[in-house]
Amino acid sequence: MNAKEVTKMTGVSVRTLHHYDQIGLLMPDRDPDNGYRVYSDEDLDRLQQILFFKACGFPLAQIKKLIDHPDFDRFEAFKMQKKALLHERNRIEGMIGLLERTMRSMRGGEILKREEKFEGFDFTSNPYEEEARMRWGDQGINQANEYLERIGDEGKRELGNQMNEIFRMLSAVRHEDPASDAAQNAVKKLYVFFNQDFGNGYSHGYTPESFGNLGQMYVDDPRFTESIDRFGEGLASFLAKAMGIFAANHRKV
């Protein structure tokens, strides 16, 4: 199937399919005659898995890490995704129920107690994201979390101050070409910080590839984008490009 046929069948736009190809998430073969993307049944299975993970709230960079992990089990992933979606359904049904009760109270029906006005809200994170990370990778994240616990509140504040200073420095060059010397030298400081300072919490630190994946997560996950763009509008997008270039230039280092 070509990209337009996949779009018609799945509802996923051609632009999105091309983006998945560019970031290495879904890379179909090419027709040797015209260079067009050709999607096999295996590609469609992978796309289905990607969409299930997206529906469960996983960012694209995280999905790629999970699916590409050598121990990834598709059937086990489906079981976990079912649990996650059922959890989300229950959360939404609870909010809808609260909304209906609130509307009835506004019309003179039941009177809600203060605490009852918030019973339908659930701001906890997806409880199955941790299960996925434990099953198929991200061990470094777990090790980093353990490291943060060891250094205590004072250590966390100092680490946060250092990181904020680096992001302010990066924001100052965000209008440069991401491939320029100024941009790449600034990004290198972030890479060194993650591996020599913050990276002390990891057993292996960041490889150039994982560093590039982290940059992509800055734009794939709105939570990262919002946090990083506090230092300057467009910084997350700039970092995604600059960190990707840095990873490509240092892949063999």
Side-chain angles (χ1 to χ4, degrees):
M1 300 182 70
N2 60 36
K4 289 185 178 179
E5 291 171 330
V6 173
T7 291
K8 184 177 180 180
M9 182 177 68
T10 65
V12 178
S13 70
V14 172
R15 181 178 180 180
T16 296
L17 292 173
H18 289 180
H19 177 61
Y20 288 174
D21 191 358
Q22 291 168 357
I23 66 175
L25 182 58
L26 180 65
M27 297 183 293
D29 291 332
R30 299 290 186 121
D31 187 318
D33 295 327
N34 54 32
Y36 291 169
R37 295 171 175 83
V38 179
Y39 292 84
S40 65
D41 287 338
E42 290 75 15
D43 292 325
L44 296 178
D45 285 343
R46 184 176 174 98
L47 177 59
Q48 183 195 49
Q49 190 78 79
I50 292 168
L51 296 180
F52 272 126
F53 270 125
K54 279 195 67 180
C56 293
F58 288 78
L60 296 181
Q62 185 72 27
I63 294 172
K64 185 177 186 302
K65 289 181 181 180
L66 295 176
I67 295 180
D68 289 342
H69 194 277
D71 294 331
F72 180 74
D73 186 312
R74 189 163 177 253
F75 186 77
E76 288 298 315
F78 282 144
K79 289 168 60 177
M80 185 211 69
Q81 289 160 347
K82 180 181 178 180
K83 293 178 183 177
L85 292 174
L86 288 173
H87 171 82
E88 181 66 8
R89 184 181 71 180
N90 292 336
R91 186 184 71 84
I92 292 174
E93 287 179 347
M95 292 182 66
I96 292 173
L98 175 62
L99 181 62
E100 290 175 343
R101 293 178 64 195
T102 303
M103 291 170 67
R104 286 197 298 269
S105 73
M106 292 176 65
R107 296 193 182 108
E110 64 177 309
I111 299 176
L112 296 180
K113 298 177 181 179
R114 288 178 177 176
E115 59 271 17
E116 289 178 328
K117 294 180 180 181
F118 302 94
E119 286 180 349
F121 294 103
D122 179 4
F123 296 108
T124 59
S125 59
N126 183 347
Y128 301 100
E129 181 175 354
E130 182 67 20
E131 178 182 345
R133 295 199 299 117
M134 292 297 293
R135 279 179 178 270
W136 302 303
D138 269 359
Q139 184 180 18
I141 292 178
N142 297 325
Q143 292 171 338
N145 289 338
E146 293 173 1
Y147 169 66
L148 291 175
E149 288 300 319
R150 289 199 305 270
I151 65 176
D153 291 340
E154 184 62 32
K156 290 177 187 177
R157 281 193 292 270
E158 176 60 26
L159 203 59
N161 290 337
Q162 294 176 29
M163 186 173 291
N164 288 341
E165 184 61 32
I166 289 177
F167 276 110
R168 282 192 286 267
M169 177 269 297
L170 289 165
S171 181
V173 298
R174 71 185 189 279
H175 298 302
E176 300 280 349
D177 182 339
S180 68
D181 289 343
Q184 287 301 300
N185 287 336
V187 165
K188 183 178 181 180
K189 293 180 181 179
L190 181 65
Y191 180 75
V192 170
F193 172 75
F194 280 155
N195 281 283
Q196 292 186 358
D197 297 307
F198 184 69
N200 287 334
Y202 294 80
S203 60
H204 301 293
Y206 277 96
T207 64
E209 181 181 7
S210 62
F211 183 68
N213 289 338
L214 177 65
Q216 186 61 43
M217 190 181 295
Y218 287 167
V219 291
D220 288 342
D221 190 327
R223 295 169 298 181
F224 277 106
T225 305
E226 181 180 1
S227 177
I228 292 171
D229 279 359
R230 289 188 296 107
F231 294 93
E233 185 177 355
L235 179 58
S237 178
F238 166 79
L239 286 178
K241 296 174 184 176
M243 292 165 72
I245 293 170
F246 180 91
N249 291 341
H250 296 79
R251 191 162 291 152
K252 294 182 179 181
V253 175

